Amino acid sequence: MKKIAIFLFEGAELFEIASFTDVFGWNNVVGLKEFRDIKVETISYKESIKCTWGGELRAEKIITEDNVENFYEYDALVIPGGFGKANFFKDNDNEIFKKLIKYFSENNKVIVAICSAVINLLETTYIRDKKVTTYLLDNKRYFNQLKNYNIIPVEEEIVIDNNLFTCSGPGNALELSFRVLEKLTSKENVKIIQNNMFLK
């Protein structure tokens, strides 16, 4: 069984979370039989988070200093973005998150960062010499921040560098979820899921 963790920061955008929970949920129902065992779980350093546009989301698993190693077994880590005004960047120096990113990057596991989550990811300092994108609008203020890190900024909506997947906004999250699904399963399987979800 493959396992995907969706790391929830305070102020995360629900659409970016749902893009992955829905696609992989559909996969486990209508996907090719050999790929119907991908488990997706929301994890966080706190019991629940408030989403950018309202509503509260309870994390399925709480990650702490004492149990962080239990999360090293996951095959992929997804980090949805969020808005600063919803406190999304308040905890970006979280030591637990840093340990998780250190392990995933050093072991070449799949890391997905959506929109502004790229900034939280890069703040860990464990992502280096990789091609990366982030939010491209708003006078490129997020994209311009990329020069502060040891990465290669790419002004495209979706950028994939080996096992690092980044994108520029919520509108890309759905496509990115299918790219990750393809990496973990197959092109044929992706087409089946897209057809069943009427995403042709």
Side-chain angles (χ1 to χ4, degrees):
M1 173 188 286
K2 288 188 170 68
K3 295 174 73 177
I4 299 173
I6 301 179
F7 193 97
L8 303 178
F9 277 104
E10 184 74 15
E13 283 202 69
L14 192 56
F15 184 87
E16 297 176 9
I17 299 163
S19 294
F20 283 83
T21 58
D22 281 36
V23 165
F24 283 91
W26 276 87
N27 173 76
N28 290 344
V29 174
V30 299
L32 293 171
K33 286 186 180 178
E34 62 266 34
F35 300 130
R36 288 187 189 177
D37 62 349
I38 301 176
K39 189 170 189 176
V40 177
E41 295 179 314
T42 55
I43 67 172
S44 185
Y45 52 97
K46 54 198 298 189
E47 287 188 9
S48 64
I49 60 120
K50 290 182 180 176
C51 297
T52 288
W53 308 116
E56 194 167 328
L57 207 58
R58 183 172 293 279
E60 293 170 276
K61 290 193 175 175
I62 308 302
I63 183 168
T64 67
E65 289 276 0
D66 296 330
N67 72 3
V68 65
E69 291 183 6
N70 296 343
F71 295 84
Y72 292 169
E73 67 183 33
Y74 285 81
D75 299 280
L77 179 66
V78 177
I79 312 143
F83 274 55
K85 67 180 182 180
N87 295 319
F88 182 76
F89 302 109
K90 183 170 72 88
D91 298 317
N92 68 5
D93 61 347
N94 184 290
E95 290 299 324
I96 301 164
F97 180 66
K98 287 180 180 178
K99 282 185 181 179
L100 202 56
I101 297 304
K102 183 177 190 290
Y103 183 85
F104 268 71
S105 60
E106 288 177 350
N107 291 276
N108 199 32
K109 291 196 166 207
V110 173
I111 299 174
V112 180
I114 304 166
C115 193
S116 59
V118 173
I119 303 301
N120 283 4
L121 174 64
L122 297 180
E123 278 292 310
T124 67
T125 72
Y126 293 117
I127 305 299
R128 301 184 190 99
D129 305 316
K130 295 282 191 182
K131 293 178 181 175
V132 170
T133 192
T134 186
Y135 192 63
L136 300 173
L137 302 179
D138 197 12
N139 296 317
K140 297 185 186 175
R141 68 186 181 103
Y142 286 103
F143 186 78
N144 289 335
Q145 288 181 50
L146 297 185
K147 67 178 182 285
N148 298 325
Y149 307 98
N150 295 318
I151 51 88
I152 305 157
V154 178
E155 198 172 341
E156 294 177 9
E157 291 187 15
I158 292 178
V159 173
I160 300 170
D161 189 335
N162 191 13
N163 279 345
L164 178 63
F165 294 67
T166 58
C167 72
S168 62
N172 309 122
L174 190 59
E175 183 178 346
L176 205 60
S177 66
F178 282 116
R179 299 271 189 105
V180 175
L181 179 65
E182 182 179 327
K183 186 169 187 72
L184 297 179
T185 63
S186 69
K187 284 186 179 180
E188 180 189 0
N189 187 62
V190 167
K191 286 180 182 175
I192 291 168
I193 308 309
Q194 288 174 331
N195 286 336
N196 276 274
M197 292 181 74
F198 287 88
L199 295 166
K200 301 174 184 178

